[in-house]
Amino acid sequence: MIRKTVANVTDALAGVKDGMTFMLGGFGLCGIPENAISELVRLGVKDITCISNNAGVDDFGLGLLLQQHQIKKMISSYVGENDEFERQMLSGELEVELTPQGTLAEKCRAAQAGFPAFFTPAGYGTEVAEGKEVREFDGKMYILEEAFKADFAFVKAWKGDAAGNLIFKGTARNFNPCMCGAATITVAEVEELVPEGELDPNQIHIPGIFVQRIFQGKDYEKRIEQRTVRQK
Amino acid sequence: MLDKNGIAKRIAQEVEDGYYVNLGIGIPTLVANYVRDDISVEFQSENGILGMGPFPIDGQEDADLINAGKQTITALPGASYFDSATSFAMIRGKHVDLTILGAMEVAENGDIANWKIPGKMVKGMGGAMDLVASAENIIVAMMHTNRAGESKLLKKCSLPLTGVGCVKKIVTNLAVLEVIDDGFLLLERAPGVSVEDIKVATEGNLIIRGKVAEMSV
């Protein structure tokens, strides 16, 4: 077995530098790599580009990096929950590239799977299509979207093993599997790092080949953004 | 005139047995409350669940189980979870039968705008551009006019587009309309609303064929 385990988040983020491009898993605050984000804040890396579906909230998730003005550019599909984000965007401090959600996922998957680009109908005829190649297939119009290129992918899984195999839980899966193997180095943090042989190979969502470093995460807050309940 | 729940109730009548349905945020989310219980329907949320159930009972919320509006939800028997690329494969690949979403503006050629007000609001398109570009059966749920009283059913959208020529049907607080070649065909009136009321509230070309029935909700 090829071992991917590192001791802690500091070792996991070795090599992270100013100006790099990072992918971060999660949808809203669900399934975000909390430990990696905290470490990026501690390291204080600057001028980074973040590829993430959302931008966190003011005081959690990627909002923590925004507070410290560490992000130069965000590539996201929806950024509506963060006032600081909006302020930095409107003042021109922060560059923002809004990308349709399915296109965002596929640009990750394409990078993972070795496709340089793909055609999608999403965004045809809108400002998203500006400057992009357009082609017609069977009477329908499509635009050419290119795979992402990133230095690190930070993902969060429920369980993982020393081989880097990952299993996700519920809708915390979201963008995390799409980002594994889509960057030069994929760092997986897990709620539970189990002994080798304990995960059933039939149930693995992401094989360890897509992961370079894995570590046991800690102190997960797993904050709920919109607590919505019904009465009994 | 219908309220938001009334719009959701009328749209629920469009949901058929065996449908996989994607519900947008806002009025569309309410549709789930009014779907007949003698048919089998599965709700898809693009963040990665098919078989979405109601909100959890107080105390049973799970941070790892949310919908696209980031609200805590439950999963029904037969539900499945998947990643975002798979989720949009379902959408782009036309495996989802019905998409219900909100809009700021709809044009008489089926164009839709719902993601950006330049200089005022930039939240992003989320999954809306993928949904409208691929779905064959799209229903827009919205108020007929905006807060300033201006029509949201236009000759041409003034806001940045989400998709072109994609909307087929619109249910508003005043009417049910179908987008056809030359404009909005008026299918039904909301209770207590006259054809004249709808004419006044519609800037785009409104097509009236014979007597327009009042909807039953």
Side-chain angles (χ1 to χ4, degrees), chain B residues 119-138:
Chain B
K120 272 192 189 162
M121 187 284 286
V122 188
K123 291 184 184 298
M125 66 293 281
M129 283 193 183
D130 308 88
L131 282 158
V132 301
S134 302
E136 290 181 328
N137 195 1
I138 299 173

Side-chain angles (χ1 to χ4, degrees), chain A residues 41-58:
Chain A
V41 171
R42 197 189 67 81
L43 290 169
V45 282
K46 294 264 190 291
D47 296 324
I48 58 177
T49 295
C50 291
I51 299 166
S52 170
N53 188 55
N54 311 93
V57 295
D58 279 325

Side-chain angles (χ1 to χ4, degrees), chain A residues 30 54 77-79 100-103 121-122 126-127 140 169 171 173-175 222 226-230 232, chain B residues 55-58 61 63-66 70-72 81 83-84 88 92 116 123-126 130 133 161-162:
Chain A
C30 182
N54 311 93
S77 85
Y78 190 83
V79 292
Q101 197 174 127
T103 300
T126 76
E127 56 186 67
K140 190 173 165 87
K169 180 165 167 273
T171 58
R173 192 183 313 191
N174 57 62
F175 283 83
K222 295 177 72 166
Q226 304 282 345
R227 188 178 298 275
T228 317
V229 297
R230 69 191 144 105
K232 276 183 193 162
Chain B
F55 298 137
I57 288 167
D58 200 351
E61 313 89 279
D64 292 328
L65 189 46
I66 63 168
K70 285 99 178 175
Q71 296 169 312
T72 43
Y81 304 120
D83 67 71
S84 300
F88 282 90
R92 210 183 297 106
K116 183 179 184 181
K123 291 184 184 298
M125 66 293 281
D130 308 88
L161 295 181
T162 307

Side-chain angles (χ1 to χ4, degrees), chain A residues 173-186:
Chain A
R173 192 183 313 191
N174 57 62
F175 283 83
N176 285 298
C178 311
M179 291 175 172
C180 291
T184 308
I185 295 174
T186 297

